[in-house]
Amino acid sequence: MAARRITVLTGAGISAESGLGTFRDKDGLWTKYPLEEVATPEGFARDPARVHAFYNARRANAAGAQPNAAHLALARLQRAEGIDLVIVTQNVDGLHEAAGATAVHMHGELSRAYCGACEHRWDAPAVMSPEMPCPACGAPATRPDIVWFGEIPYHMDAIHQRLSQTELFAAIGTSGQVYPAAGFVQIARQYGAETVEINLEQTDVAWDFDDHLVGPASQMVPAWVASLIGEDPGR
Ligand code: NAD
Ligand code: ZN
């Protein structure tokens, strides 16, 4: 029998219990840093040092964080017999990988650097600054390899293709406010997938989903994974 095709979209909520702040919750990052200053190409052009400082701080936080039970459960699901799981993440941390999974990073990664002049990519140092030259072309155009608002997310063709073939789609810890990720549920549904939302609360887009599991990701995701692969939820 063919493996069951499952696609999971994760957002900041899956990493919240690992101590990494989400963006839109009441203590979220956007309340302390204006989005248009730290997460747009225009903000970077105006004040690259400020934007690097913001991502240097995010990188340091992420480097000190551990994957939680939700990341670990998804890694088990990815390894399980009879399951073909693709994890698409909006997160720029490396917690899926730290848990032993592979993930498609549609919004880039804190651990990578990108040259705005020649498009070269390399492993980011812990601390980045505007004057840092690109190792390939030497231009001082180094930026974090992060997709900012107004830019096109990575891997969109492959993600769309996958959504069109998926049997089960789950959105975990994402508010459904940032497009195109917020539209994935409709695409999957249109192609016949069953859909489930796993979130601390019912989101504004909850009506797009067939099912809802409401609660913290560290509890809800292991229970959901256990129900899919018949493992003992106590583990
Ligand atoms: P968001 O902040 O808009 O929404 C977070 C969602 O997670 C909310 O719906 C909230 O109810 C839910 N949530 C919070 N704690 C939870 C928990 N313990 N268990 C389950 N759900 C929980 O985040 P988003 O939808 O990912 O927003 C998109 C943008 O935020 C992306 O561009 C992403 O790159 C960026 N972001 C990434 C990180 C990270 O890499 N860790 C952190 C913050 C923001
Ligand atoms: Zn370059």
Side-chain angles (χ1 to χ4, degrees), residues 115-120 122 134-139:
C115 172
C118 78
E119 303 190 359
H120 180 63
W122 65 100
C134 164
C137 77

Side-chain angles (χ1 to χ4, degrees), residues 25-159:
D25 298 325
K26 62 178 178 319
D27 299 320
L29 296 168
W30 297 134
T31 61
K32 294 176 209 127
Y33 301 90
L35 183 157
E36 52 291 350
E37 296 308 322
V38 297
T40 62
E42 295 77 16
F44 185 65
R46 273 194 295 274
D47 192 347
R50 182 182 193 194
V51 174
H52 275 302
F54 174 75
Y55 288 101
N56 288 341
R58 303 274 75 73
R59 192 177 299 108
N61 284 350
Q66 298 296 325
N68 65 53
H71 300 100
L72 293 166
L74 290 183
R76 288 201 298 281
L77 184 61
Q78 202 167 49
R79 285 193 300 267
E81 194 106 8
I83 301 283
D84 167 10
L85 171 65
V86 171
I87 301 170
V88 177
T89 188
Q90 299 168 88
N91 294 345
V92 295
D93 64 53
L95 294 179
H96 286 301
E97 290 80 2
T102 59
V104 177
H105 282 267
M106 61 180 291
H107 291 165
E109 294 173 74
L110 286 168
S111 63
R112 301 284 286 166
Y114 171 68
C115 172
C118 78
E119 303 190 359
H120 180 63
R121 288 186 167 79
W122 65 100
D123 285 338
V127 177
M128 292 172 68
S129 63
E131 60 280 358
M132 210 168 252
C134 164
C137 77
T142 293
R143 54 172 274 186
D145 191 10
I146 302 281
V147 177
W148 287 324
F149 289 94
E151 297 182 323
I152 299 167
Y154 298 150
H155 314 299
M156 287 308 297
D157 288 349
I159 293 169

Side-chain angles (χ1 to χ4, degrees), residues 11-13 17 21 23-24 90-93 107 173-175 199-200 217:
E17 291 165 85
F23 276 11
R24 285 173 188 73
Q90 299 168 88
N91 294 345
V92 295
D93 64 53
H107 291 165
T174 176
S175 60
N199 200 294
L200 206 47

